[in-house]
Amino acid sequence: MTQIEIKFPDGNTQQVEKGSTPLEIAKSISNSLAKRAIAAKFDGRIISLKEPLNKSGALQILTFKDDEGRDVFWHSSAHLMAQAIKRVFPEAQLGIGPSIADGFYYDIDLEHRITPEDFERLEAKMAEIVEENHPTVRKVFSPQEALDFFKKNNELLKVDLIEGLLDSGEEITVYEQGEFSDLCRGPHVPSTGYLGKNFKLLSTAGAYWHGDEKNKMLQRIYAVNYPDKKMLKQHLKRLEEAKKRDHRRLGRELDLFSIQDEIGSGLILWHPKGALMRHIIESYWKDQHLKNGYDLVSTPHIAKHHLWETSGHSSFYQDNMFKPMTVDEVDYQLKPMNCPFHMEIYNTKIRSYRDLPMRYAELGTVYRYERSGVLHGLMRVRGFTQDDAHIYCHPDQLTDEIVGVLDLNTKILGKFGFTEYDVYLSTRPEKYVGSEESWDHATEALRTALEQKNIAYTVDPGEGVFYGPKIDIKIKDVLGRSWQCSTIQVDFNLPERFDLSFVDADGQKHRPITIHRALLGSLERFFGILIEHYAGSFPLWLAPVQAVLLPIADRHFEYAGRIRKALELAGIRVTSDLRNEKVGFKIREAETAKIPYMLIIGDKEMEEESLSLRRKGEGDLGTVKLEALLEKIQAELE
RNA sequence: GCUCACGUAGCUCAGUAGGUAGAGCACAUCCUUGGUAAGGAUGAGGUCACCGGUUCAAUCCCGGUCGUGAGCUCCA
């Protein structure tokens, strides 16, 4: 009997018989591992637990904890759901059914509208199929066999997929479980029994076949499945939590902003509390930029349409721009970007290499036409303020400038409580402007800066914008959701189009490198993310109302007024609740308004010149003197 | 933009098998001056999103428009 050598992730090795399967090997390690096993990774390839190993190599048993294991589990779950759908609706045609970040879905073509009422029926069928524990069987088909097979089964979408596969020369495989077969690359769990019953169908939505809006719209069914019940519960709780944190709901409840039909879709009204928070955010932002070598600039909301021809936006960005308006027979354009204005400021003088780097920063409000279906609260709007900046520098300064931007970004995002990021470096796409050398130089500078700052990143090959490579930073909120905010882009296009130059030490004109960057992205969107991240309970420095005075009876009003003055003088944002209500009621309202400090004042406090302190979510903290409170608040603000 | 769903008081939602509507919270007035998450009474509030059609009669049925939601595509 031939032996092969299997190497495990922990570095250990084991001799096993040739032809052993990962499942057998997992069993030999421990029963619990075999139980949790979903699939395996052999020499970097994801394989089924049932695939015999015929050569020595590195083996990792994949469980739900591994991204790849989870993928297989959810992908197999999608098949399970499809099989149930076919049992209930035999006429349904199957599209695709992949795993996604948060579960899986299956796209189907079916006359009957799947509604939540159907979910239970489908879930019951899924449970049945799990119970029946059908082994999954992998079969290799020739293209003709595959076409015949799916045509015979009236799976026309699958036929379409196979036709797409023909040119690729890829092997066509079909997975069978019981009466159900699906075109699939695999791998899958060994049998349907592996999938357990902790699944839940969540929602349906329309989705175009192949994601192309010219194609037919199919029904997409979203679902999740977990190896144990606790995880499913957690998932459902997370969905619930996300709902509770929805910034649209909190925005209304906390009276921060509104969006109204009369005003227009995607246009935000900032109410006093929201506007105050925006002011706090903007002040901090400006302060940080002034301290980090930026100059503030300010530019108009409209400009002659001609400007956008110079910049090129009127051709490549046209679909996202509002229609021009005519003023004195000249077309003017509402700005979708701030960049051209900054370019023109740069161009008002001859610049020397001694002036560089120059950094223009602006909280610039831009207007973009977005298709009605994509608008969403503060997250996707038609008028928003970018925390924009353009850096003009000498090619030698590029790396240092990017490092500077990364440092400032970490600092500013950190201040708002975001410390976890996913970073992407996007390189040259197929269609691009500028020379290959300048792309290489810029990409290298971005890469060097990331490495200098020890920032882990993923390369997105070919995903750069046509005008230059970029770094995108996605922040993770407290629920683990990621949001794209910061972007750092090198731009070879606009300096060319606006003919930017500086005089170098050699006395000759050269073109500066332009970096376009935004840290928060859009103030509106960032505000929405902040609301959800903090669930409306903002840290003290951001809270629009930091403290509220709650006098118990009328006779305490005068003293409360004095305390209020003192707090105001100390720069604390304080209000008082002088309504004719019991203190319990006032506390309840202050708690739901998520005001950090409640200061209760009655006879006792008046007598001893103190106040009773209550912290939102924590409860009564006892009585303190005013000075002690001021110190406590100051300490918290630092 | 597309598919599906939805649009009743400031908010959350009932309701009418076609005969112009109701609750809780919020709001106003009065009583109550109350010690750590809802004191009591009374009252005011609606062109049932908008425009057409069918009908003796439309908030309800039909068509359209606008808006919102879940997605798709796109994206800060």
Side-chain angles (χ1 to χ4, degrees):
Chain A
M1 193 64 71
T2 328
Q3 298 275 309
I4 53 172
E5 189 178 80
I6 300 299
K7 193 171 176 206
F8 296 112
D10 61 6
N12 286 337
T13 58
Q14 189 184 336
Q15 298 288 324
V16 301
E17 273 178 32
K18 187 175 165 188
S20 299
T21 66
L23 186 58
E24 287 160 358
I25 296 168
K27 270 184 188 150
S28 76
I29 297 170
S30 83
N31 262 332
S32 81
L33 180 64
K35 248 186 168 171
R36 285 181 290 125
I38 288 170
K41 195 164 166 181
F42 188 63
D43 286 341
R45 199 164 57 89
I46 315 287
I47 59 168
S48 158
L49 290 173
K50 293 193 291 194
E51 184 167 324
L53 304 181
N54 291 316
K55 61 181 175 77
S56 299
L59 179 74
Q60 184 191 355
I61 301 295
L62 297 173
T63 70
F64 196 76
K65 278 194 189 128
D66 306 295
D67 289 349
E68 295 110 324
R70 203 163 52 227
D71 265 353
V72 171
F73 189 79
W74 281 341
H75 187 186
S76 295
S77 302
H79 276 219
L80 170 66
M81 182 165 76
Q83 185 171 10
I85 292 169
K86 290 292 277 189
R87 282 193 182 178
V88 178
F89 305 104
E91 71 279 19
Q93 286 192 34
L94 301 178
I96 55 165
S99 74
I100 50 175
D102 234 8
F104 57 94
Y105 66 79
Y106 218 109
D107 283 348
I108 56 165
D109 189 5
L110 176 64
E111 196 73 28
H112 168 79
R113 288 278 137 216
I114 302 275
T115 64
E117 286 80 66
D118 295 317
F119 287 177
E120 249 172 75
R121 214 153 37 121
L122 291 169
E123 283 163 1
K125 276 282 180 256
M126 286 166 73
E128 221 172 270
I129 297 163
V130 169
E131 202 70 45
E132 291 158 11
N133 197 17
H134 299 289
T136 51
V137 183
R138 179 177 187 267
K139 292 192 169 166
V140 180
F141 278 33
S142 76
Q144 198 52 51
E145 278 171 340
L147 284 172
D148 290 347
F149 178 79
F150 285 104
K151 267 184 197 157
K152 191 185 82 208
N153 289 350
N154 198 37
E155 290 286 8
L156 301 180
L157 296 173
K158 296 293 178 189
V159 171
D160 185 45
L161 286 176
I162 295 163
E163 280 165 353
L165 279 177
L166 291 182
D167 299 337
S168 73
E170 214 179 303
E171 197 175 43
I172 295 176
T173 54
V174 170
Y175 276 79
E176 266 183 27
Q177 49 195 57
E179 83 286 359
F180 175 80
S181 318
D182 196 356
L183 173 74
C184 186
R185 195 175 288 127
H188 283 282
V189 296
S191 69
T192 55
Y194 271 72
L195 296 170
K197 293 178 186 171
N198 300 305
F199 43 71
K200 188 151 180 63
L201 272 53
L202 295 175
S203 60
T204 60
Y208 301 108
W209 179 234
H210 289 311
D212 185 335
E213 61 191 39
K214 288 191 223 47
N215 288 340
K216 185 167 186 182
M217 171 110 21
L218 309 177
Q219 297 189 62
R220 176 167 298 178
I221 305 174
Y222 286 93
V224 288
N225 188 17
Y226 285 94
D228 79 81
K229 195 170 211 110
K230 236 197 245 158
M231 293 170 88
L232 173 67
K233 273 197 174 154
Q234 263 171 17
H235 181 97
L236 298 177
K237 221 176 129 189
R238 208 167 51 237
L239 291 180
E240 199 64 26
E241 182 62 23
K243 229 183 189 173
K244 266 197 274 178
R245 287 166 180 260
D246 190 317
H247 72 282
R248 293 165 299 182
R249 173 208 186 100
L250 286 168
R252 187 179 53 240
E253 287 174 1
L254 302 177
D255 201 11
L256 301 172
F257 71 91
S258 64
I259 304 167
Q260 291 169 29
D261 292 6
E262 286 68 27
I263 310 287
S265 295
L267 301 171
I268 308 302
L269 297 182
W270 294 70
H271 296 202
K273 283 184 189 147
L276 178 56
M277 289 186 68
R278 176 173 170 154
H279 166 75
I280 294 161
I281 296 167
E282 288 183 347
S283 303
Y284 171 71
W285 186 91
K286 285 182 186 167
D287 181 54
Q288 285 301 315
H289 280 73
L290 289 172
K291 282 180 180 156
N292 282 277
Y294 285 80
D295 296 315
L296 297 181
V297 297
S298 187
T299 66
H301 288 220
I302 62 171
K304 284 183 184 168
H305 188 260
H306 178 75
L307 179 69
W308 307 98
E309 279 157 22
T310 306
S311 70
H313 288 102
S314 63
S315 54
F316 71 78
Y317 207 69
Q318 194 185 23
D319 290 349
N320 280 294
M321 286 157 65
F322 280 94
K323 292 275 170 292
M325 61 184 112
T326 310
V327 181
D328 293 342
E329 289 171 38
V330 178
D331 280 351
Y332 280 74
Q333 174 66 49
L334 208 45
K335 72 169 164 181
M337 304 264 184
N338 303 303
C339 344
F341 297 92
H342 295 191
M343 303 291 152
E344 294 290 14
I345 295 174
Y346 180 95
N347 258 351
T348 53
K349 281 170 122 180
I350 293 180
R351 307 291 179 180
S352 151
Y353 71 99
R354 297 175 194 275
D355 298 328
L356 303 183
M358 288 175 50
R359 310 183 188 94
Y360 291 157
E362 174 177 18
L363 293 165
T365 304
V366 297
Y367 296 89
R368 297 183 183 173
Y369 171 73
E370 298 285 355
R371 289 155 52 138
S372 61
V374 307
L375 300 172
H376 180 87
L378 294 174
M379 302 302 189
R380 193 73 183 273
V381 296
R382 284 183 174 157
F384 62 97
T385 302
Q386 289 184 309
D387 69 314
D388 215 352
H390 293 89
I391 298 173
Y392 303 94
C393 68
H394 193 280
D396 297 345
Q397 297 166 325
L398 190 53
T399 305
D400 284 347
E401 283 307 304
I402 295 161
V403 167
V405 172
L406 289 172
D407 280 341
L408 183 60
N409 195 41
T410 310
K411 172 147 197 220
I412 291 184
L413 290 178
K415 174 83 175 170
F416 290 100
F418 299 109
T419 47
E420 269 189 73
Y421 318 107
D422 286 325
V423 181
Y424 301 87
L425 173 63
S426 302
T427 59
R428 197 177 65 230
E430 268 173 46
K431 278 178 81 180
Y432 63 95
V433 299
S435 69
E436 237 173 272
E437 296 79 62
S438 36
W439 271 86
D440 290 345
H441 172 72
T443 310
E444 221 27 61
L446 292 172
R447 193 190 298 274
T448 310
L450 285 171
E451 274 158 18
Q452 225 174 62
K453 299 315 295 181
N454 254 323
I455 297 171
Y457 62 93
T458 313
V459 177
D460 263 348
E463 284 301 304
V465 206
F466 74 90
Y467 52 75
K470 63 170 180 174
I471 294 172
D472 284 330
I473 298 172
K474 291 187 180 179
I475 56 177
K476 285 224 175 129
D477 73 8
V478 71
L479 292 187
R481 300 173 300 181
S482 50
W483 304 93
Q484 151 104 56
C485 291
S486 325
T487 184
I488 306 169
Q489 312 183 342
V490 179
D491 190 336
F492 301 124
N493 186 42
L494 290 180
E496 195 73 36
R497 284 176 163 274
F498 283 91
D499 195 22
L500 304 191
S501 64
F502 67 93
V503 179
D504 209 345
D506 60 6
Q508 301 296 305
K509 275 191 174 180
H510 295 269
R511 204 158 315 284
I513 295 204
T514 298
I515 305 168
H516 169 111
R517 47 112 284 190
L519 309 183
L520 310 178
S522 129
L523 285 183
E524 283 73 8
R525 179 184 157 81
F526 190 73
F527 187 45
I529 296 167
L530 270 183
I531 294 171
E532 303 210 354
H533 181 62
Y534 287 116
S537 293
F538 301 107
L540 197 62
W541 77 281
L542 273 173
V545 178
Q546 294 171 314
V548 59
L549 280 156
L550 308 179
I552 287 171
D554 299 5
R555 63 179 176 282
H556 310 126
F557 284 8
E558 195 269 339
Y559 177 61
R562 274 177 15 233
I563 299 279
R564 180 177 170 159
K565 266 264 134 40
L567 290 169
E568 277 170 350
L569 279 175
I572 313 243
R573 297 185 289 274
V574 58
T575 62
S576 31
D577 188 344
L578 305 183
R579 290 177 304 171
N580 179 11
E581 295 291 350
K582 293 195 171 183
V583 74
F585 182 85
K586 293 182 181 180
I587 286 169
R588 181 185 152 78
E589 297 241 312
E591 288 273 349
T592 52
K594 302 179 194 294
I595 299 170
Y597 285 110
M598 284 153 270
L599 314 173
I600 294 142
I601 285 169
D603 291 336
K604 197 177 108 199
E605 290 77 10
M606 236 164 87
E607 201 173 304
E608 60 183 41
E609 291 270 308
S610 67
L611 26 87
S612 176
L613 188 61
R614 183 187 164 99
R615 175 90 208 205
K616 184 204 157 296
E618 289 175 26
D620 194 353
L621 300 180
T623 46
V624 293
K625 295 280 182 202
L626 179 63
E627 299 72 49
L629 173 68
L630 288 175
E631 268 171 41
K632 184 178 163 68
I633 289 179
Q634 280 318 323
E636 188 174 338
L637 287 173
E638 272 155 29

